Amino acid sequence: MKIEKVLNNNVVMCRNEHDQEIVAMGKGLAFQRKSGDEIDVSKIEKTFVLQNHDIVEKLAKLLEDTSEFYLSISSKVLEYAKTQLPNKLDDFLYVALTDHLSFAISRHKQGIQFKNALLWEIRKYYKKEFQVALKALDIIEQETGIRLDENEAASIALHLVNGQLSGDDMASTVQITKMVNDILNIVKYHFKMELDETSLNYERFLTHLRFFGMRYMRNETSFDSIDDFFHGQIKLKYSEAYMCTQKVATYLKNELGWEISKEEEIYLTVHIHRVTNRHLLNQKVK
């Protein structure tokens, strides 16, 4: 197996027997080696496959100033995350998470701690990612002896959320999280109720809102494929939920300049009805 690119003394890029581009790590793996040299496979301690060549270039740039030790930690975190999360993770996470962990641990050593303003929302709306991030704190502690707090878990979780959006940047992820939180608050205030966060309907609503936000960030227009009669029937059948949807639509237009389609109105109305209906039925029984 030949070296295609030396990233640093301990990390190289090469190709495996399936002609896949891989990053190989090992102490002294690339010492006094150059592109085209045969790799000493006995020194390889860890490998991972990268689908995007541009990621390798970015990783090489990062490793000019950052120890591959943090890449090793990141790869362990991502290996675990891949077994727990439903969507494929973007390879760029190897770069983003390595960079983040290096900075976070450096800050910790200097006694500098940041509060994550979205901790509460992330823990609440991205439960799977947050649980993986808590496990990441365990992995980091095992490797470094340093225990980072939940604020860092929230930041790691955001990277994992972002990594499942395939190409959207962190600012987009933060904006989507805020959008989800604002819409849920509109629903709560309109119906004057707390939502059952353990219900399947709540999980479905959250999922819809996340992808709803993703479509906005990517400028993916939803074309109306539902006729006016069906729209009118939904509006009549779920009148209270539709009124709430109109408040959401006003918020989106005023805050983001986004005018949603009738099709989106229907989806939102149905989800809002489902997530609030059981509570309203219980109130009537009382």
Side-chain angles (χ1 to χ4, degrees), residues 217-267:
M217 299 309 301
R218 296 172 179 175
N219 293 314
E220 294 176 0
T221 305
S222 176
F223 296 100
D224 283 323
S225 59
I226 298 175
D227 60 41
D228 289 338
F229 176 77
F230 184 58
H231 179 267
Q233 289 295 103
I234 294 295
K235 180 178 177 181
L236 185 64
K237 185 174 183 179
Y238 305 126
S239 57
E240 194 66 32
Y242 183 78
M243 288 174 61
C244 184
T245 293
Q246 292 307 296
K247 290 183 179 179
V248 172
T250 299
Y251 154 78
L252 293 170
K253 184 176 181 179
N254 291 342
E255 293 295 318
L256 303 171
W258 186 19
E259 293 194 41
I260 61 174
S261 65
K262 289 182 179 179
E263 186 174 5
E264 280 292 4
E265 282 187 355
I266 286 177
Y267 286 134

Coordinates of all heavy atoms in Angstrom, one line a residue, residues 217-267:
M217 N -33.4 26.8 4.9 CA -32.0 27.2 4.8 C -31.4 26.9 3.4 O -30.5 27.5 3.0 CB -31.2 26.4 5.9 CG -31.6 26.7 7.3 SD -31.7 28.5 7.8 CE -30.1 29.0 7.4
R218 N -31.9 25.9 2.8 CA -31.4 25.5 1.5 C -32.2 26.1 0.3 O -32.0 25.8 -0.8 CB -31.5 23.9 1.3 CG -30.6 23.2 2.3 CD -30.8 21.7 2.3 NE -29.9 21.1 3.2 CZ -29.9 19.8 3.5 NH1 -30.8 19.0 2.9 NH2 -29.1 19.2 4.3
N219 N -33.2 27.0 0.7 CA -34.0 27.6 -0.4 C -34.7 26.6 -1.2 O -34.9 26.8 -2.4 CB -33.1 28.5 -1.3 CG -32.6 29.7 -0.5 OD1 -33.3 30.4 0.2 ND2 -31.3 30.0 -0.7
E220 N -35.2 25.6 -0.6 CA -35.9 24.5 -1.3 C -37.4 24.9 -1.2 O -38.1 24.7 -0.2 CB -35.7 23.2 -0.7 CG -34.2 22.7 -0.9 CD -34.0 21.3 -0.2 OE1 -34.9 20.8 0.4 OE2 -32.8 20.9 -0.3
T221 N -38.0 25.4 -2.3 CA -39.4 25.8 -2.4 C -40.3 24.6 -2.4 O -40.1 23.7 -3.2 CB -39.6 26.7 -3.6 OG1 -38.7 27.8 -3.5 CG2 -41.0 27.3 -3.6
S222 N -41.3 24.7 -1.6 CA -42.3 23.6 -1.6 C -43.5 24.1 -2.6 O -44.1 25.1 -2.3 CB -42.9 23.4 -0.2 OG -43.9 22.5 -0.3
F223 N -43.6 23.4 -3.7 CA -44.7 23.7 -4.6 C -46.0 23.2 -4.2 O -46.1 22.1 -3.7 CB -44.3 23.2 -6.0 CG -43.0 23.8 -6.6 CD1 -41.8 23.1 -6.5 CD2 -43.1 25.0 -7.2 CE1 -40.7 23.6 -7.0 CE2 -41.9 25.6 -7.7 CZ -40.7 24.9 -7.6
D224 N -47.0 24.0 -4.4 CA -48.4 23.6 -4.0 C -48.9 22.5 -4.9 O -49.0 22.7 -6.2 CB -49.3 24.7 -4.1 CG -49.2 25.7 -2.9 OD1 -49.0 25.2 -1.8 OD2 -49.3 26.9 -3.1
S225 N -49.1 21.3 -4.4 CA -49.7 20.2 -5.2 C -51.0 19.8 -4.6 O -51.5 18.7 -4.9 CB -48.7 19.0 -5.1 OG -48.4 18.6 -3.8
I226 N -51.5 20.6 -3.7 CA -52.8 20.3 -3.0 C -53.8 21.3 -3.5 O -53.6 22.5 -3.5 CB -52.7 20.3 -1.5 CG1 -51.7 19.2 -1.1 CG2 -54.0 20.1 -0.8 CD1 -51.3 19.2 0.4
D227 N -55.0 20.8 -3.9 CA -56.0 21.7 -4.5 C -56.7 22.5 -3.4 O -56.6 22.2 -2.2 CB -57.0 21.0 -5.3 CG -57.8 19.9 -4.5 OD1 -58.2 20.2 -3.3 OD2 -58.0 18.8 -5.0
D228 N -57.3 23.6 -3.8 CA -58.0 24.5 -2.8 C -59.0 23.9 -2.0 O -59.3 24.2 -0.8 CB -58.5 25.7 -3.6 CG -57.5 26.6 -4.2 OD1 -56.3 26.6 -3.6 OD2 -57.7 27.4 -5.1
F229 N -59.7 22.9 -2.6 CA -60.8 22.2 -1.9 C -60.3 21.5 -0.6 O -60.8 21.6 0.5 CB -61.6 21.2 -2.8 CG -62.6 20.4 -2.1 CD1 -63.9 21.0 -1.7 CD2 -62.4 19.1 -1.7 CE1 -64.8 20.3 -1.1 CE2 -63.4 18.4 -1.0 CZ -64.6 19.0 -0.7
F230 N -59.2 20.7 -0.9 CA -58.6 20.0 0.2 C -58.0 20.9 1.3 O -58.2 20.7 2.5 CB -57.5 19.0 -0.3 CG -56.9 18.2 0.8 CD1 -57.7 17.3 1.5 CD2 -55.5 18.2 1.0 CE1 -57.1 16.4 2.4 CE2 -55.0 17.4 2.0 CZ -55.8 16.5 2.7
H231 N -57.4 22.0 0.8 CA -56.9 23.0 1.8 C -58.0 23.6 2.6 O -57.9 23.7 3.8 CB -56.2 24.1 1.0 CG -55.6 25.2 1.8 ND1 -56.3 26.3 2.1 CD2 -54.4 25.3 2.5 CE1 -55.6 27.1 2.9 NE2 -54.5 26.5 3.1
G232 N -59.2 23.8 2.0 CA -60.3 24.4 2.7 C -60.9 23.4 3.7 O -61.3 23.8 4.8
Q233 N -60.9 22.1 3.3 CA -61.4 21.1 4.2 C -60.5 21.0 5.5 O -61.1 20.8 6.6 CB -61.4 19.7 3.5 CG -62.5 19.6 2.4 CD -63.9 19.7 3.0 OE1 -64.6 20.7 2.9 NE2 -64.3 18.6 3.6
I234 N -59.2 21.0 5.3 CA -58.3 20.9 6.4 C -58.5 22.2 7.3 O -58.6 22.1 8.6 CB -56.8 20.8 6.0 CG1 -56.6 19.5 5.3 CG2 -55.9 21.0 7.1 CD1 -56.7 18.3 6.2
K235 N -58.6 23.3 6.7 CA -58.8 24.6 7.4 C -60.1 24.5 8.3 O -60.1 25.0 9.4 CB -58.9 25.7 6.4 CG -59.1 27.1 7.0 CD -59.1 28.1 5.9 CE -59.4 29.5 6.4 NZ -59.5 30.5 5.3
L236 N -61.1 23.9 7.7 CA -62.4 23.8 8.4 C -62.4 22.7 9.5 O -62.9 23.0 10.6 CB -63.5 23.5 7.4 CG -65.0 23.5 7.9 CD1 -65.4 24.8 8.4 CD2 -65.9 23.0 6.8
K237 N -61.8 21.6 9.2 CA -61.8 20.5 10.1 C -60.9 20.7 11.3 O -61.3 20.3 12.4 CB -61.3 19.2 9.4 CG -61.4 17.9 10.2 CD -61.1 16.7 9.4 CE -61.2 15.4 10.3 NZ -60.9 14.2 9.5
Y238 N -59.8 21.4 11.1 CA -58.8 21.6 12.2 C -58.7 23.1 12.4 O -57.6 23.7 12.3 CB -57.5 21.0 11.9 CG -57.5 19.5 11.6 CD1 -57.0 19.0 10.4 CD2 -58.2 18.6 12.5 CE1 -57.0 17.6 10.2 CE2 -58.2 17.3 12.2 CZ -57.6 16.8 11.1 OH -57.7 15.4 10.8
S239 N -59.8 23.8 12.6 CA -59.8 25.3 12.6 C -58.9 25.9 13.6 O -58.2 26.9 13.3 CB -61.2 25.8 12.8 OG -61.8 25.3 14.0
E240 N -58.8 25.3 14.8 CA -58.0 25.9 15.9 C -56.5 25.7 15.5 O -55.7 26.7 15.7 CB -58.3 25.3 17.2 CG -57.7 26.0 18.4 CD -58.3 27.4 18.6 OE1 -59.5 27.6 18.3 OE2 -57.6 28.3 19.0
A241 N -56.2 24.5 15.0 CA -54.8 24.3 14.6 C -54.4 25.2 13.4 O -53.2 25.6 13.3 CB -54.6 22.8 14.3
Y242 N -55.4 25.4 12.5 CA -55.1 26.3 11.4 C -54.8 27.7 11.8 O -54.0 28.4 11.3 CB -56.2 26.2 10.4 CG -56.0 27.0 9.1 CD1 -55.1 26.5 8.1 CD2 -56.5 28.3 9.0 CE1 -54.9 27.2 7.0 CE2 -56.3 29.0 7.8 CZ -55.4 28.5 6.8 OH -55.2 29.2 5.7
M243 N -55.6 28.2 12.8 CA -55.3 29.5 13.3 C -53.9 29.6 13.9 O -53.2 30.6 13.7 CB -56.4 29.8 14.4 CG -57.8 30.1 13.9 SD -59.0 30.3 15.3 CE -58.3 31.7 16.1
C244 N -53.5 28.6 14.5 CA -52.1 28.5 15.1 C -51.1 28.5 13.9 O -50.1 29.2 14.0 CB -51.9 27.3 16.0 SG -50.3 27.2 16.8
T245 N -51.4 27.8 12.9 CA -50.5 27.8 11.7 C -50.3 29.1 11.1 O -49.3 29.5 10.7 CB -51.1 26.8 10.7 OG1 -51.0 25.4 11.2 CG2 -50.3 26.9 9.4
Q246 N -51.4 29.9 11.1 CA -51.3 31.3 10.6 C -50.4 32.2 11.4 O -49.7 33.0 10.9 CB -52.7 31.9 10.5 CG -53.7 31.2 9.5 CD -53.0 31.2 8.1 OE1 -52.8 32.2 7.5 NE2 -52.8 30.0 7.6
K247 N -50.4 31.9 12.7 CA -49.5 32.7 13.6 C -48.0 32.2 13.3 O -47.1 33.1 13.2 CB -49.8 32.4 15.1 CG -51.1 33.0 15.5 CD -51.3 32.7 17.0 CE -52.6 33.4 17.5 NZ -52.8 33.1 19.0
V248 N -47.8 31.0 13.0 CA -46.5 30.5 12.6 C -46.1 31.1 11.3 O -44.9 31.6 11.1 CB -46.5 28.9 12.5 CG1 -45.1 28.5 11.9 CG2 -46.7 28.3 13.9
A249 N -47.0 31.1 10.4 CA -46.7 31.7 9.0 C -46.4 33.2 9.1 O -45.5 33.7 8.4 CB -47.9 31.5 8.1
T250 N -47.1 33.9 10.0 CA -46.8 35.3 10.2 C -45.4 35.5 10.8 O -44.6 36.4 10.4 CB -47.8 36.0 11.2 OG1 -49.1 35.9 10.6 CG2 -47.5 37.4 11.4
Y251 N -45.0 34.7 11.8 CA -43.7 34.7 12.4 C -42.6 34.5 11.3 O -41.6 35.2 11.2 CB -43.6 33.6 13.5 CG -42.2 33.1 13.7 CD1 -41.3 33.9 14.5 CD2 -41.8 31.9 13.2 CE1 -40.0 33.5 14.7 CE2 -40.5 31.5 13.5 CZ -39.6 32.2 14.2 OH -38.3 31.8 14.4
L252 N -42.8 33.4 10.5 CA -41.8 33.1 9.4 C -41.7 34.2 8.4 O -40.6 34.5 8.0 CB -42.2 31.8 8.7 CG -42.2 30.5 9.6 CD1 -42.8 29.4 8.9 CD2 -40.7 30.2 10.0
K253 N -42.8 34.9 8.1 CA -42.7 36.0 7.1 C -42.0 37.2 7.7 O -41.2 37.8 7.1 CB -44.1 36.3 6.7 CG -44.2 37.4 5.6 CD -45.6 37.7 5.1 CE -45.5 38.8 4.0 NZ -46.9 39.0 3.5
N254 N -42.4 37.5 9.0 CA -41.8 38.7 9.6 C -40.4 38.6 10.0 O -39.6 39.5 9.9 CB -42.6 39.1 10.9 CG -44.0 39.6 10.5 OD1 -44.3 40.0 9.4 ND2 -44.9 39.5 11.5
E255 N -40.0 37.4 10.5 CA -38.7 37.1 11.0 C -37.7 36.7 9.9 O -36.5 37.1 9.9 CB -38.7 36.1 12.1 CG -39.4 36.5 13.4 CD -38.7 37.6 14.1 OE1 -37.4 37.6 14.2 OE2 -39.4 38.5 14.6
L256 N -38.2 35.9 8.9 CA -37.3 35.3 8.0 C -37.6 35.7 6.5 O -36.9 35.4 5.6 CB -37.3 33.8 8.1 CG -37.0 33.3 9.5 CD1 -37.2 31.8 9.5 CD2 -35.5 33.5 9.8
G257 N -38.7 36.4 6.3 CA -39.2 36.8 5.0 C -39.6 35.6 4.2 O -39.5 35.5 2.9
W258 N -40.1 34.5 4.9 CA -40.4 33.3 4.2 C -41.9 33.1 4.2 O -42.6 33.0 5.2 CB -39.8 32.1 5.0 CG -39.9 30.8 4.3 CD1 -40.2 30.5 3.0 CD2 -39.8 29.5 4.9 NE1 -40.3 29.2 2.8 CE2 -40.0 28.5 4.0 CE3 -39.5 29.1 6.2 CZ2 -40.0 27.2 4.2 CZ3 -39.4 27.7 6.5 CH2 -39.6 26.8 5.5
E259 N -42.5 33.1 3.0 CA -43.9 32.8 2.8 C -44.1 31.4 2.5 O -43.7 30.9 1.5 CB -44.5 33.7 1.7 CG -44.5 35.2 2.1 CD -45.3 36.0 1.2 OE1 -46.4 35.6 0.8 OE2 -44.9 37.1 0.8
I260 N -44.8 30.7 3.4 CA -45.0 29.2 3.2 C -46.1 28.9 2.3 O -47.1 29.7 2.2 CB -45.1 28.5 4.6 CG1 -46.4 29.0 5.3 CG2 -43.9 28.7 5.4 CD1 -46.7 28.2 6.5
S261 N -46.1 27.8 1.6 CA -47.1 27.4 0.7 C -48.3 26.8 1.4 O -48.3 26.5 2.6 CB -46.5 26.3 -0.3 OG -46.2 25.2 0.4
K262 N -49.4 26.6 0.6 CA -50.6 26.0 1.2 C -50.3 24.6 1.6 O -50.9 24.1 2.6 CB -51.7 26.0 0.1 CG -52.3 27.4 -0.1 CD -53.5 27.4 -1.1 CE -54.0 28.8 -1.3 NZ -55.2 28.8 -2.3
E263 N -49.4 23.9 0.8 CA -49.1 22.6 1.2 C -48.4 22.5 2.5 O -48.7 21.7 3.4 CB -48.1 22.0 0.1 CG -47.8 20.5 0.3 CD -47.0 20.0 -0.9 OE1 -46.6 20.8 -1.8 OE2 -46.7 18.8 -0.9
E264 N -47.5 23.4 2.8 CA -46.8 23.5 4.1 C -47.8 23.8 5.2 O -47.7 23.4 6.3 CB -45.7 24.5 4.1 CG -44.4 24.0 3.5 CD -43.7 22.9 4.3 OE1 -44.3 22.5 5.3 OE2 -42.6 22.4 3.9
E265 N -48.8 24.7 4.9 CA -49.8 25.1 5.8 C -50.6 23.8 6.3 O -50.9 23.7 7.5 CB -50.8 26.1 5.2 CG -50.2 27.5 5.2 CD -51.3 28.5 4.7 OE1 -52.4 28.0 4.4 OE2 -51.1 29.7 4.8
I266 N -50.9 23.0 5.3 CA -51.6 21.8 5.6 C -50.8 20.8 6.5 O -51.3 20.3 7.5 CB -52.1 21.0 4.3 CG1 -53.2 21.8 3.7 CG2 -52.5 19.6 4.6 CD1 -53.7 21.2 2.4
Y267 N -49.5 20.6 6.2 CA -48.7 19.7 7.0 C -48.5 20.3 8.4 O -48.7 19.5 9.4 CB -47.3 19.6 6.3 CG -47.3 18.7 5.1 CD1 -46.6 19.1 3.9 CD2 -48.0 17.5 5.1 CE1 -46.6 18.4 2.8 CE2 -47.9 16.7 3.9 CZ -47.3 17.1 2.8 OH -47.2 16.3 1.7

